[in-house]
Amino acid sequence: MVICKTAAILENTLKKYYTNNINIGFVPTMGALHNGHIALIEESKQQCAITVASIFVNPTQFNDKNDFEKYPITIENDIFLLEKAGCDIIFLPSVNEIYSDGIDNLKHYELSYLEEILEGKYRKGHFQGVCNVVERLLLMVKPTILFLGQKDYQQCMVVSKLVELMNWQNKLKLVIVPTIREENGLAMSSRNRRLTEEERTKAAAIYNNLLYMKNNFERLPFNGLIKRAEEELLKNGFLKIDYISICNAQNLQPIAEYKEGVKLVVLIAAFIGEVRLIDNLLL
Ligand code: PAF
């Protein structure tokens, strides 16, 4: 496995693959890796001749300074896990390498509705930061397939929009890999490291409620399902719920009642202790 710290070294390492019509898989991460990330690497290895993972804690996508400061850094373990998973190249850039022009004059992306709802509503500017870093990383790695986790459902849609804005639809395929869960159903996330044992156990209430909604959305009113889920989360020690929303899975427009043929997704964001967790399930 090769570790590249600059875009120039990365380009030099990948040069021979660019010319050969070979699939280059890319897994962007912010480190603190877990089995969810490893599933992305495994999927890339299935589909591509060469797999590149980046580790870069992107300062421009944190709307909350505290969240940025507390973001876990586990670089040695990350490198160990990537090597074990058979990743070929790690791109490990510095902030200056990614933002050579500084972080104050970022590009603005026209995401409209997509950044006004759900995560966009509660994390102002977050998706602008995501687009800024993902575009820069894509321009440096120049992959043919990009792998993202379904856990960040809205991010997958935003990145798909970014690919369109970059006009890369014909040269980059986006693959969304299903969420990997702990035994109790809790979606794997780097933020889970900040949970106490008790919180980790209680946090399973998110998945239990998603499942309840999946099993009952055809027969029970949506507002009742959402109210029940809110009550259950609060009963299980969640302190604050940002949203529980049933949406059209294609465009994230909220949907008030069941209609046959409309593909739905239910999305949740809630705080347990200081930690904000998100999850979703296709219905
Ligand atoms: O999902 C993440 O870890 C980040 O948002 C990403 C895509 C690596 C961009 O920083």
Side-chain angles (χ1 to χ4, degrees), residues 26-31 37 40 54-59 61-62 71 99 123 126-127 129-131 133-134 137 146-149 151-152 155 159 190-191:
F26 179 42
V27 179
T29 82
M30 297 207 300
H37 297 109
L40 302 180
S54 63
I55 301 177
F56 178 68
V57 185
N58 175 31
Q61 72 184 76
F62 287 85
Y71 200 84
Y99 295 106
R123 302 185 67 192
H126 168 66
F127 287 127
V130 169
C131 285
V133 75
V134 173
L137 289 168
L146 173 64
F147 296 87
L148 294 176
K151 198 198 117 233
D152 296 301
Q155 171 169 275
V159 171
S190 306
R191 289 185 174 80

Side-chain angles (χ1 to χ4, degrees), residues 212-230:
Y212 184 86
M213 290 164 111
K214 186 176 174 75
N215 293 332
N216 293 287
F217 76 101
E218 285 158 316
R219 59 174 203 100
L220 295 178
F222 287 5
N223 56 2
L225 284 173
I226 291 171
K227 191 158 182 297
R228 178 191 181 276
E230 280 169 357

Side-chain angles (χ1 to χ4, degrees), residues 143-163:
T144 52
I145 312 188
L146 173 64
F147 296 87
L148 294 176
Q150 191 199 314
K151 198 198 117 233
D152 296 301
Y153 194 92
Q154 193 175 0
Q155 171 169 275
C156 295
M157 297 193 66
V158 165
V159 171
S160 165
K161 176 78 186 163
L162 168 71
V163 172

Side-chain angles (χ1 to χ4, degrees), residues 25-281:
F26 179 42
V27 179
T29 82
M30 297 207 300
L33 302 186
H34 49 71
N35 284 343
H37 297 109
I38 299 307
L40 302 180
I41 299 288
E42 283 166 357
E43 193 55 41
S44 173
K45 286 188 65 67
Q46 292 277 329
Q47 298 195 32
C48 302
I50 186 110
T51 293
V52 183
S54 63
I55 301 177
F56 178 68
V57 185
N58 175 31
T60 69
Q61 72 184 76
F62 287 85
N63 54 311
D64 176 356
K65 201 167 160 267
N66 197 31
D67 195 24
F68 178 51
E69 276 159 12
K70 293 211 167 134
Y71 200 84
I73 309 282
T74 59
I75 193 72
E76 274 169 27
N77 191 49
D78 293 346
I79 294 172
F80 170 77
L81 291 177
L82 288 172
E83 171 116 65
K84 197 165 109 193
C87 178
D88 301 292
I89 299 174
I90 306 183
F91 183 38
L92 206 57
S94 64
V95 174
N96 280 345
E97 187 68 18
I98 295 291
Y99 295 106
S100 52
D101 42 354
I103 58 171
D104 294 329
N105 291 310
L106 296 181
K107 183 166 165 186
H108 182 82
Y109 298 83
E110 203 38 77
L111 303 172
S112 58
Y113 172 74
L114 255 188
E115 70 171 336
E116 285 155 21
I117 48 159
L118 306 169
E119 289 303 284
K121 177 170 166 201
Y122 288 91
R123 302 185 67 192
K124 293 273 177 241
H126 168 66
F127 287 127
Q128 289 297 326
V130 169
C131 285
N132 267 277
V133 75
V134 173
E135 175 166 25
R136 285 157 203 250
L137 289 168
L138 288 176
L139 291 169
M140 290 173 179
V141 180
K142 298 188 267 304
T144 52
I145 312 188
L146 173 64
F147 296 87
L148 294 176
Q150 191 199 314
K151 198 198 117 233
D152 296 301
Y153 194 92
Q154 193 175 0
Q155 171 169 275
C156 295
M157 297 193 66
V158 165
V159 171
S160 165
K161 176 78 186 163
L162 168 71
V163 172
E164 215 180 286
L165 293 172
M166 289 171 70
N167 215 358
W168 272 32
Q169 307 92 305
N170 295 331
K171 56 178 182 184
L172 181 74
K173 182 174 150 197
L174 175 58
V175 172
I176 298 170
V177 178
T179 305
I180 305 293
R181 299 180 179 280
E182 307 278 356
E183 237 171 77
N184 69 359
L186 173 64
M188 291 210 179
S189 162
S190 306
R191 289 185 174 80
N192 293 356
R193 289 167 198 261
R194 290 172 51 202
L195 299 173
T196 63
E197 263 323 298
E198 191 189 348
E199 286 168 344
R200 197 176 269 262
T201 307
K202 288 185 165 170
I206 292 190
Y207 185 57
N208 292 337
N209 278 283
L210 290 173
L211 274 183
Y212 184 86
M213 290 164 111
K214 186 176 174 75
N215 293 332
N216 293 287
F217 76 101
E218 285 158 316
R219 59 174 203 100
L220 295 178
F222 287 5
N223 56 2
L225 284 173
I226 291 171
K227 191 158 182 297
R228 178 191 181 276
E230 280 169 357
E231 285 166 3
E232 285 291 314
L233 290 187
L234 295 173
K235 238 195 271 167
N236 275 283
F238 280 82
L239 297 178
K240 185 169 160 262
I241 298 167
D242 277 351
Y243 58 79
I244 300 179
S245 189
I246 300 177
C247 298
N248 181 315
Q250 312 291 335
N251 56 23
L252 288 185
Q253 293 281 352
I255 302 283
E257 57 192 38
Y258 175 66
K259 204 165 139 208
E260 226 186 299
V262 180
K263 194 82 194 125
L264 299 169
V265 60
V266 52
L267 306 104
I268 296 184
F271 283 87
I272 189 151
E274 277 196 340
V275 184
R276 186 175 183 275
L277 298 176
I278 62 169
D279 201 350
N280 66 80
L281 202 64

